[in-house]
Amino acid sequence: MDQAASVLLDFPPEGGIAGDAQYHAAAQSHSQKLDQLAAAPNFPGFAPQLLDHVHPAVNSNSYLTLLIAARAADRLPQADLLTKVATFLSTFDARQIRYRGKAFSALLDWLVDGSLFPASVAVELLTTALLRLDPAGSVLTSHHVALVKLAYSTDNVAPALPLLEKDVVFYPGVKGLFETRPPCALDLPPASYITAESGLTKLLSSSDVMQYDLLRGLCFIRRRAWRPAFDALERVVTYPTRDTHACSKIMVEAHNKWILVGLLLNGKAPTLPATTPPGVQKTFATLGKAYQAIGKAFEESTAQSLKTEFESVGAQVFAEENNLGLVRLVLQHYQRWQVLNLRQVYTKITLEEVRARTQSAETGAPLASEADVAALVQQMIDEGMLHGAIVRPPGAPAYLSFLPPDEGRSEAEFAQRMAATARRLAQLEPLVRAANERLGTSRDYIKYLAGLQKKEDSGRRDYDVAFMNQIEDEDLMTGVVEGF
Amino acid sequence: MADPLLNFFTLMENQVGVIVRGCLFADPGAGRTRFDRLFLIGRSSVPLCVDALKAAVAEAKRGKDTQRYREAVECLRIAAPSEPLATLDQAWLEAQEMANHMETTRLLTELKGYKNNLIKESIRMGNEDLGKHLESIGDLNAASETYAKMRPDVSTTKQLVDVGKHLVRVSIQRREWGMVSAHLSKLGAAHRGEEEKAVQSYLEVAQGIALLGQEKYKEAALSFLAVDSGVSGSSYNELASQSDVAVYGGLLALASMDRDELQTCVLDNTRFRALLEHAPHIRRAVAQFVAGRYSACIATLESYRPDYLLDLYLQKHVGNIYSQIRSKCITQYLIPFSCVSLDTMSKAFGGAEQPIEDLLADMIRSGALAARIDTIDKLVTTRSANPRAQMQDSVLQAAENYEKQALDRLRRMGLAAADLELKGSKKLGPHGFASQSDLLMEETLS
């Protein structure tokens, strides 16, 4: 047991390690020792006692090994184990853990299967742990996919938001990369150590990736955060395809929701981004017909066609496609957008006129009374959707006054927003550099470079026969074909 | 007699869509289009209906086209059953149909003879005669085919121009505006020499009519304005009279050009100015528009609206052209003001059919006018553009777009590098989908 303790406390040595290379060697040998230790038959027996002597933030790898052994032996009281897992996940050393990817993944899987923690805690711990591992959140892992499923299905979206709001740009499973730096290098982009080989993630399939973004979209929809929901769904809609005919059911589902969310967000039907593959666009046109029709009807000046579109398809169909809630919300919001669009024509308008000029898409008719209109407008003002006020002058009908849009943005405010944008753009730089490094060192690209160099080395360019036949004798003198 | 008239116009309202009420003088003009114009007036004008239809019947009987005779009599029969002309003259019909038939056969036989003799000029003339005959009996389809057959046997420029004119004329009668343009483009290259000016004018008129038919008002206006007033109207009389050209040109220019253009292209256009003398009211309207007296301009035009509604080519477009002119007037009117009361606007522009407020609302919504309406204080405020705010908006927008695109490209590279692009799998489902693990999709909003 003492020997085991000395192994466990062996790494990291006190006083620290100077270079990456030494750290790498020490961490690797320590990791092997931990493997041997874990395989020892009596190890699970005394693991729980040792846990108290090992610091989770300093000796993270050892602590992790002990935790797994302790749970396997089932010798620790449940409450104790839970505290320790939680402490570990919120304090572990993200540099060390790169060497124990498989064990770490196993620990995270405990959270997902729901046997340890209630879902709300599990989601929060997973989010913390994954953000500690990769603060930028740029790499998708199998844990992300499991987390979003858990968060969505148990309705614990809020704690997962910090992770879900990150933009994922790297995916595991890249082949033929050469990474010369050891995994512990501090300047190593997360995408280089969060790989299937390191065990920190499993390989993903394209449907996993799409499901992740779709479920993210659904999470945001549940929180009524239309902007991020729209962006998340758009990622699925524009998912790249290799074959012209390939299209996934997930994409169609995302497309349908994407149109509805777009209506709620912008008050008009979104147009498919140019990056949508053409074959997919065709599929959308057939399978998303009802939704595209709704999008079109939403832009009409009367509510009748929207109502007709909805009724011709029927609530049943939307319910089967799990969009009924959204569709109903779209119908509710139609009139709000109509009121909002009056802003482009009027500065002041009586509530009675608002009533006459807008219709509810639920009934296809104007609201019954002026009081209803006032309530609707007031609600819009309260929600911040409408910039205006209801004025009730004595002896005259009440009217809605649209306040002028705050075009007079102050210089300071503008500068501030520009600076914020610049900052966000600067944050992209490490991602770009990482992508550049990764692709620049990939095997195929190097082959291509080598081929190019070879040609240049051979002194002259490679003209094919067809080109040579076109060239007149005079052209030879003007230097069209150098070195010929 | 009122009752059948009412019935007739209910019927016509469904067919033609334009009914003119109000008494006026309408000149059907002369030439080949006389019947068409009379017939149109008869079907659209309440006060002139019976007279025009009677004239149309007489005109039809003077010609050889039995079909149009039948149509005219049919209309007259519904509108005024008691008129003596409202019954079909069976004897004339039969005799004329027989004569037509014999003439067709005769010309066909002749043409056959010419073809056997292989003399190009005779074949061309034979085709021309047959085409003219077919056109006069109303078989326009066959006529245009026959005219087209003249083309291979053409030997001089003059003949080529003739072929083109025949084809253009028939196409206009068939209301095939696209074909008119196609024939015109073939003609455009051919003409030269002494007759150039006459041909040129003919071309411009035909082109203008075709473009008007296709609702390309600006181009049509330019075509009409290019007609040379020095050329006698007879060279394009079969299409339109000189006053027609002046009206078309002036109206379309009003609808599609701004004040400077109107001044230079219409009023200062020496070639066109002489033509405008044939339509002084149009010149007045243009001058009023240029001078900024918009309400006077609109009033002038309004007083002639019924006339134009009875015009063969303008009829369908009058409403459109007028509303364009009106909205242009309003836009111009508002330019010097930051705030105008609705009452003033209503006095200046208020039309019977649409209150000024709705008109303004429509214009603002379509983006033609940058203004806001205040229905409480009855004001229209124009909105001045704020270039600084616009610039700031567009800067922020651009930066945001850049960020979004950069992320999207990185993501695509990432997906491509990880070989995660969607591939069509071998086992396609019934909808051609790649197989998917079933996805838990709950209702998203409770």
Side-chain angles (χ1 to χ4, degrees):
Chain A
M1 185 167 148
D2 286 344
Q3 189 212 347
S6 73
V7 170
L8 290 169
L9 295 170
D10 187 31
F11 183 85
E14 275 179 46
I17 302 180
D20 282 346
Q22 281 97 322
Y23 191 100
H24 178 61
Q28 239 177 2
S29 77
H30 181 245
S31 184
Q32 277 165 9
K33 281 183 207 155
L34 284 179
D35 281 340
Q36 288 162 8
L37 204 58
N42 58 346
F43 181 65
F46 50 76
Q49 302 153 36
L50 282 172
L51 264 176
D52 292 328
H53 303 283
V54 179
H55 199 282
V58 180
N59 311 104
S60 297
N61 284 355
S62 311
Y63 200 84
L64 176 61
T65 315
L66 287 171
L67 270 179
I68 291 176
R71 175 148 198 244
D74 201 12
R75 291 272 292 278
L76 207 60
Q78 181 83 351
D80 235 14
L81 178 68
L82 294 191
T83 327
K84 291 195 156 59
V85 170
T87 327
F88 171 72
L89 284 178
S90 12
T91 57
F92 70 89
D93 177 359
R95 192 177 177 199
Q96 271 179 50
I97 219 74
R98 297 176 193 176
Y99 290 89
R100 304 289 295 167
K102 284 212 173 61
F104 188 67
S105 286
L107 184 71
L108 293 182
D109 287 342
W110 296 355
L111 299 178
V112 176
D113 67 20
S115 54
L116 280 185
F117 291 99
S120 60
V121 183
V123 167
E124 193 166 347
L125 280 177
L126 263 174
T127 310
T128 321
L130 287 174
L131 280 177
R132 280 186 71 77
L133 193 62
D134 171 18
S138 59
V139 188
L140 188 72
T141 67
S142 47
H143 306 299
H144 282 71
V145 183
L147 167 67
V148 75
K149 277 184 192 166
L150 181 68
Y152 182 71
S153 58
T154 61
D155 198 7
N156 285 299
V157 175
L161 282 180
L163 187 73
L164 297 183
E165 279 162 359
K166 303 281 183 206
D167 290 300
V168 172
V169 291
F170 298 117
Y171 298 88
V174 184
K175 293 194 188 70
L177 286 183
F178 295 106
E179 186 52 69
T180 48
R181 291 167 290 186
C184 60
L186 287 174
D187 60 344
L188 195 65
S192 297
Y193 58 80
I194 303 182
T195 56
E197 292 81 51
S198 77
L200 282 169
T201 173
K202 295 189 195 72
L203 280 178
L204 294 172
S205 68
S206 53
S207 71
D208 285 331
V209 179
M210 281 189 273
Q211 278 188 33
Y212 175 70
D213 279 323
L214 177 61
L215 285 169
R216 257 179 73 215
L218 293 181
C219 286
F220 290 125
I221 288 176
R222 190 168 276 168
R223 307 216 20 112
R224 311 226 162 178
W226 307 128
R227 163 58 56 193
F230 186 73
D231 289 343
L233 292 173
E234 193 168 292
R235 286 168 77 109
V236 189
V237 171
T238 60
Y239 196 86
T241 59
R242 186 166 296 169
D243 300 317
T244 41
H245 304 296
C247 179
S248 143
K249 190 158 179 281
I250 303 181
M251 292 172 82
V252 175
E253 215 159 308
H255 166 259
N256 296 347
K257 292 183 192 298
W258 176 75
I259 289 190
L260 297 176
V261 172
L263 290 175
L264 293 171
L265 176 68
N266 296 321
K268 57 179 190 226
T271 44
L272 279 174
T275 41
T276 318
V280 173
Q281 289 189 12
K282 262 186 220 154
T283 316
F284 287 162
T286 17
L287 292 175
K289 210 178 206 158
Y291 296 89
Q292 292 186 348
I294 284 201
K296 218 167 170 193
F298 197 89
E299 291 170 25
E300 302 268 321
S301 55
T302 54
Q304 194 52 48
S305 57
L306 185 58
K307 187 166 173 274
T308 324
E309 282 299 335
F310 172 67
E311 278 161 5
S312 68
V313 178
Q316 183 64 31
V317 179
F318 288 120
E320 275 165 20
E321 296 182 6
N322 293 316
N323 285 326
L324 187 59
L326 269 180
V327 172
R328 286 212 183 286
L329 205 62
V330 166
L331 292 186
Q332 277 171 26
H333 272 239
Y334 174 75
Q335 191 167 20
R336 290 161 157 252
W337 279 100
Q338 271 196 322
V339 174
L340 204 59
N341 287 338
L342 288 177
R343 168 188 64 173
Q344 284 156 17
V345 180
Y346 300 97
T347 50
K348 289 178 191 167
I349 183 167
T350 59
L351 290 183
E352 182 53 35
E353 270 179 295
V354 174
R355 192 183 79 82
R357 276 160 211 272
T358 62
Q359 301 98 26
S360 157
E362 284 155 298
T363 60
L367 289 180
S369 72
E370 205 184 293
D372 290 345
V373 177
L376 175 76
V377 171
Q378 194 56 51
Q379 196 187 355
M380 287 171 67
I381 295 173
D382 292 345
E383 285 173 18
M385 189 180 179
L386 179 66
H387 197 52
I390 296 180
V391 184
R392 299 179 191 280
Y399 65 85
L400 166 64
S401 170
F402 293 100
L403 301 179
D406 31 328
E407 275 181 351
R409 193 184 294 118
S410 73
E411 284 304 307
E413 196 187 333
F414 176 68
Q416 202 185 340
R417 285 186 61 180
M418 277 311 292
T421 317
R423 223 171 14 251
R424 282 206 306 280
L425 285 179
Q427 279 166 6
L428 288 182
E429 197 267 322
L431 297 182
V432 176
R433 203 178 50 216
N436 196 20
E437 270 173 16
R438 279 156 70 80
L439 297 177
T441 52
S442 90
R443 195 185 301 139
D444 293 339
Y445 179 67
I446 290 175
K447 255 188 210 158
Y448 162 78
L449 267 191
L452 213 63
Q453 207 152 30
K454 219 171 171 184
K455 265 184 198 167
E456 269 173 24
D457 286 346
S458 65
R460 64 180 178 209
R461 274 144 73 198
D462 202 12
Y463 298 106
D464 62 3
V465 186
F467 178 68
M468 290 314 301
N469 286 344
Q470 281 179 25
I471 293 192
E472 302 288 325
D473 288 347
E474 290 90 9
D475 291 342
L476 286 174
M477 291 177 225
T478 61
V480 170
V481 196
E482 223 166 300
F484 179 70
Chain B
M1 200 170 110
D3 221 8
L5 252 188
L6 191 68
N7 287 338
F8 176 65
F9 278 109
T10 336
L11 191 71
M12 282 303 122
E13 189 138 33
N14 297 332
Q15 282 181 15
V16 187
V18 181
I19 301 295
V20 183
R21 302 181 178 79
C23 196
L24 62 132
F25 167 77
D27 169 29
R32 306 185 75 105
T33 52
R34 187 173 154 84
F35 172 81
D36 288 332
R37 286 173 193 263
L38 279 171
F39 194 48
L40 184 81
I41 294 169
R43 288 192 300 170
S44 333
S45 168
V46 177
L48 296 174
C49 166
V50 176
D51 292 335
L53 283 177
K54 269 155 74 180
V57 170
E59 177 73 23
K61 220 170 170 184
R62 220 173 291 147
K64 293 194 265 179
D65 189 345
T66 51
Q67 186 55 36
R68 53 162 66 161
Y69 174 71
R70 281 174 211 270
E71 280 173 22
V73 170
E74 180 65 16
C75 283
L76 189 59
R77 194 179 59 75
I78 303 174
S82 52
E83 287 288 331
L85 278 173
T87 43
L88 283 175
D89 182 348
Q90 287 296 343
W92 178 82
L93 259 182
E94 274 162 30
Q96 190 59 50
E97 263 168 18
M98 181 63 82
N100 285 351
H101 186 69
M102 280 172 65
E103 179 72 3
T104 315
T105 325
R106 184 183 71 79
L107 286 167
L108 276 172
T109 331
E110 269 182 18
L111 182 61
K112 216 172 198 173
Y114 296 146
K115 278 187 179 161
N116 285 339
N117 290 340
L118 287 174
I119 301 170
K120 281 182 124 207
E121 181 59 12
S122 307
I123 299 176
R124 189 188 67 80
M125 283 169 64
N127 269 323
E128 185 165 24
D129 289 343
L130 181 60
K132 278 182 178 163
H133 170 68
L134 289 171
E135 190 186 341
S136 70
I137 65 168
D139 192 349
L140 298 176
N141 207 355
S144 85
E145 268 174 34
T146 315
Y147 283 138
K149 279 184 198 153
M150 290 167 68
R151 202 181 284 283
D153 301 317
V154 158
S155 50
T156 67
T157 316
K158 166 96 173 55
Q159 289 168 0
L160 187 62
V161 170
D162 281 345
V163 174
K165 278 184 173 179
H166 289 316
L167 286 170
V168 166
R169 193 178 58 239
V170 174
S171 297
I172 287 182
Q173 286 183 50
R174 298 172 72 190
R175 301 284 182 272
E176 288 178 339
W177 311 120
M179 287 305 289
V180 178
S181 301
H183 291 315
L184 283 173
S185 64
K186 283 184 194 157
L187 251 181
H191 64 84
R192 83 178 107 82
E194 287 166 19
E195 287 197 26
E196 185 183 2
K197 275 189 171 173
V199 175
Q200 186 66 32
S201 295
Y202 184 91
L203 283 181
E204 296 292 359
V205 172
Q207 181 76 354
I209 291 174
L211 288 168
L212 171 62
Q214 297 170 57
E215 299 192 8
K216 295 176 179 161
Y217 298 143
K218 175 100 188 209
E219 291 91 332
L222 289 173
S223 278
F224 285 123
L225 292 177
V227 174
D228 195 332
S229 58
V231 176
S232 97
S234 58
S235 61
Y236 45 82
N237 226 358
E238 58 185 30
L239 299 177
S241 69
Q242 281 187 320
S243 68
D244 284 341
V245 171
V247 169
Y248 298 161
L251 264 188
L252 291 173
L254 260 180
S256 58
M257 292 179 177
D258 63 28
R259 280 168 65 184
D260 289 342
E261 274 180 299
L262 278 174
Q263 182 72 45
T264 49
C265 298
V266 184
L267 295 181
D268 294 347
N269 183 342
T270 43
R271 286 196 305 173
F272 192 71
R273 199 162 50 189
L275 273 179
L276 268 182
E277 301 298 334
H278 296 275
H281 51 282
I282 286 288
R283 201 189 56 177
R284 203 161 61 233
V286 174
Q288 280 160 340
F289 185 88
V290 172
R293 295 169 52 218
Y294 304 111
S295 46
C297 166
I298 284 182
T300 312
L301 289 179
E302 277 303 332
S303 63
Y304 283 87
R305 183 196 273 264
D307 271 23
Y308 301 145
L309 279 175
L310 293 180
D311 188 279
L312 197 55
Y313 304 117
L314 271 182
Q315 188 185 49
K316 286 205 179 77
H317 304 282
V318 169
N320 230 336
I321 293 174
Y322 269 49
S323 73
Q324 280 193 18
I325 296 178
R326 184 187 296 267
S327 62
K328 251 179 53 186
C329 284
I330 294 178
T331 318
Q332 296 280 338
Y333 179 87
L334 282 174
I335 285 177
F337 301 107
S338 68
C339 190
V340 183
S341 86
L342 274 176
D343 289 341
T344 329
M345 292 286 292
S346 180
K347 262 178 219 145
F349 300 105
E353 63 260 52
Q354 204 178 14
I356 186 75
E357 200 184 310
D358 291 354
L359 187 70
L360 284 172
D362 285 348
M363 285 175 63
I364 296 171
R365 224 170 267 135
S366 69
L369 195 64
R372 294 285 180 273
I373 303 172
D374 179 347
T375 61
I376 304 301
D377 307 320
K378 302 280 175 207
L379 291 177
V380 184
T381 18
T382 50
R383 253 162 37 98
S384 52
N386 182 348
R388 178 165 204 97
Q390 279 173 7
M391 183 275 291
Q392 290 181 342
D393 279 345
S394 67
V395 165
L396 289 172
Q397 190 78 37
E400 240 162 61
N401 271 345
Y402 179 83
E403 187 190 348
K404 201 175 157 194
Q405 278 188 13
L407 275 171
D408 195 54
R409 287 195 183 150
L410 283 172
R411 174 179 77 104
R412 285 169 174 279
M413 279 194 270
L415 283 171
D419 197 21
L420 278 173
E421 291 146 311
L422 186 68
K423 281 159 259 177
S425 80
K426 291 283 185 299
K427 318 174 276 180
L428 289 182
H431 296 296
F433 289 129
S435 64
Q436 294 295 345
S437 57
D438 37 332
L439 180 59
L440 170 90
M441 276 301 111
E442 286 172 36
E443 175 63 292
T444 50
L445 290 155
S446 42

